[in-house]
Amino acid sequence: MIRNATQIQDAATLHYRETRPLSTANQMGSILIKSGRLTAGDTELILREQHKYRQRFGETGVALGLLTAADIDFALSSQFAYPYLRRGESSVSEEVIAAYDPFSKQVEALRALRSQLVMRWFGAGAQRSALAITSAERGDGRSYIAANLAVLFSQLGQRTLLIDADMRRPRQHKLFGIENRSGLSGILSGRNAATDVQRIEALMDLSVLPSGVLPPNPQELLGRGAFPQMLRDFSTEFDVILIDTPPDYDYADGQTAAARAGAALVVARKDNSHVGAIGNLVDSMKHSGVLVVGAVMNEY
């Protein structure tokens, strides 16, 4: 017969290990207590009921009304090294939904896109690491797609670098809550070094190179030999390099960046993009020798 809390803990831990062979330090209860989602007293109650009815810890907590499905998802993500953020506790914008709501339908659609990119480009056999994210017009959601894809590739365990090559109206520093006093423009003009890359500590294996000070000649900077050399240097440090570019309708920067990367993903937006503009962009890139790995219709 079990007489005290210590024995209850030991018995419940034994059952938990039988159903989920993880170390005690990584158990769901410990994770939820540390995150403030569960108290020690509630954990003891769940463990007691868990042992009594031979259920999983999470199932028991939900049945008792002490845990929610979101709590369980959070704990499981920690156990399996799949971290995501809690709203209101990070400087990362909530537009980066892959960082906040990785189990939503929107993120599942983005995961499907990531899988296609792995099959069509990154996993095609050759040493390929860079991909430009382009769009025909402003407002197509290119930066949104680039930011969320970067998070998803990092969650896959890939060392991921997101470069903001939109030196006209950059957004990635705002999306990830980082400074933009120096970055890509400084590297390409020879004024700064690759140390301007900023690690996003809250997200596994993700780094961002912001645009830096807005230059008067962004297209010329992207056309210099320093840009492809920079990509080659980064390819030894990162598995995936995503490049956010300006819209093609206004500037030729995107095609220049895509030519340097070797391939591009074209983003269009439902009820916003024009078919003719998209067709012109794809044709122009193909004539420039850029492989268009695909196009995605963004509804968000």
Side-chain angles (χ1 to χ4, degrees):
M1 181 176 180
I2 299 174
R3 297 182 181 278
N4 57 51
T6 300
Q7 290 175 309
I8 291 173
Q9 173 76 49
D10 291 344
T13 298
L14 176 62
H15 173 63
Y16 189 76
R17 283 177 176 166
E18 291 173 349
T19 58
R20 200 180 290 255
L22 298 169
S23 66
T24 302
N26 289 330
Q27 286 184 10
M28 188 173 288
S30 175
I31 293 169
L32 293 171
I33 289 175
K34 290 179 180 179
S35 67
R37 293 176 178 237
L38 199 62
T39 67
D42 288 340
T43 301
E44 182 178 334
L45 175 59
I46 294 173
L47 288 168
R48 186 183 301 119
E49 293 296 306
Q50 177 193 13
H51 177 67
K52 180 178 178 181
Y53 295 104
R54 312 294 289 180
Q55 293 179 324
R56 292 180 182 271
F57 183 92
E59 294 172 351
T60 305
V62 171
L64 291 172
L66 298 173
L67 295 175
T68 66
D71 293 328
I72 307 305
D73 288 341
F74 173 81
L76 289 173
S77 71
S78 298
Q79 286 180 335
F80 290 95
Y82 190 71
Y84 64 95
L85 307 178
R86 297 175 67 178
R87 286 177 169 82
E89 297 184 3
S90 172
S91 59
V92 176
S93 168
E94 292 187 15
E95 282 188 63
V96 189
I97 57 172
Y100 287 98
D101 197 5
F103 310 104
S104 66
K105 291 182 179 179
Q106 294 98 317
V107 178
E108 284 299 330
L110 286 164
R111 277 199 197 91
L113 174 60
R114 179 191 64 185
S115 297
Q116 289 294 318
L117 293 176
V118 169
M119 290 187 290
R120 297 186 182 192
W121 181 246
F122 294 112
Q127 292 296 320
R128 297 169 174 171
S129 59
L131 177 71
I133 311 297
T134 67
S135 68
E137 300 165 273
R138 190 164 296 281
D140 288 340
R142 177 198 64 259
S143 296
Y144 166 88
I145 294 292
N148 281 285
L149 278 176
V151 172
L152 288 172
F153 273 108
S154 72
Q155 290 173 340
L156 196 61
Q158 300 290 296
R159 297 170 300 166
T160 305
L161 173 63
L162 174 59
I163 298 175
D164 195 342
D166 187 345
M167 292 182 282
R168 312 276 184 171
R169 297 179 181 177
R171 288 201 66 223
Q172 295 302 336
H173 67 286
K174 296 178 181 178
L175 291 175
F176 286 96
I178 60 177
E179 293 184 349
N180 191 33
R181 287 183 289 186
S182 60
L184 177 63
S185 62
I187 294 176
L188 297 184
S189 63
R191 295 183 294 106
N192 299 102
T195 52
D196 288 331
V197 171
Q198 299 183 47
R199 178 74 180 272
I200 309 301
E201 296 293 342
L203 297 168
M204 181 175 57
D205 293 326
L206 177 62
S207 299
V208 175
L209 176 62
S211 66
V213 177
L214 301 188
N217 57 338
Q219 187 178 348
E220 286 75 17
L221 288 179
L222 292 172
R224 291 179 181 176
F227 188 44
Q229 181 59 54
M230 183 194 73
L231 294 180
R232 287 192 291 270
D233 293 341
F234 281 143
S235 68
T236 64
E237 303 177 40
F238 297 97
D239 304 308
V240 173
I241 301 171
L242 300 179
I243 307 169
D244 184 13
T245 71
D248 182 71
Y249 185 82
D250 297 322
Y251 314 104
D253 306 20
Q255 292 191 44
T256 302
R260 299 305 197 184
L265 172 70
V266 175
V267 177
R269 188 170 184 178
K270 186 177 180 180
D271 301 325
N272 183 79
S273 302
H274 295 84
V275 175
I278 298 171
N280 290 337
L281 171 60
V282 171
D283 289 343
S284 180
M285 286 195 293
K286 287 182 177 179
H287 290 155
S288 300
V290 177
L291 173 65
V292 179
V293 297
V296 58
M297 179 66 74
N298 172 29
E299 296 185 8
Y300 306 107

